[in-house]
Amino acid sequence: MSKALRIQFGQRVRDLRKSLGESQEAFADRCGFARSYMSRIERGGANPSLDAIEVLACALQIPVGSLFAGQGRTTGKTAVSPVDSG
């Protein structure tokens, strides 16, 4: 995961967390993460594992792929996701 992708991913997590009205500390506790780790994820300073990404998605009650929404490159009218499902 490139630094730019980690920053975009972290911003997406932050935006979704805030849309739930949850503090970073409360959300981190619910995920079973230290608040400092959650902060690093949201700032793009951490490179979360697939397991951590799954925990985040479950806590946000969204499919894992939704965490990457809007982060793919576009070619014409079709978005190409950075996560290949095939």
Side-chain angles (χ1 to χ4, degrees):
M1 202 182 282
S2 73
K3 180 73 171 178
L5 182 56
R6 287 195 314 257
I7 291 169
Q8 291 173 356
F9 178 84
Q11 184 63 52
R12 176 87 172 134
V13 170
R14 177 184 290 137
D15 291 346
L16 291 167
R17 172 184 59 78
K18 286 184 174 184
S19 75
L20 295 175
E22 200 159 5
S23 72
Q24 187 180 73
E25 186 169 3
F27 185 68
D29 285 345
R30 202 155 54 83
C31 291
F33 299 154
R35 192 212 47 84
S36 59
Y37 180 57
M38 184 59 63
S39 174
R40 288 189 0 251
I41 290 173
E42 290 186 355
R43 289 182 287 115
N47 190 3
S49 68
L50 291 173
D51 290 339
I53 291 169
E54 184 176 36
V55 168
L56 291 167
C58 287
L60 293 165
Q61 300 177 342
I62 60 172
V64 170
S66 295
L67 286 172
F68 297 94
Q71 294 184 14
R73 64 186 193 286
T74 56
T75 56
K77 295 181 181 175
T78 305
V80 179
S81 173
V83 177
D84 183 15
S85 62

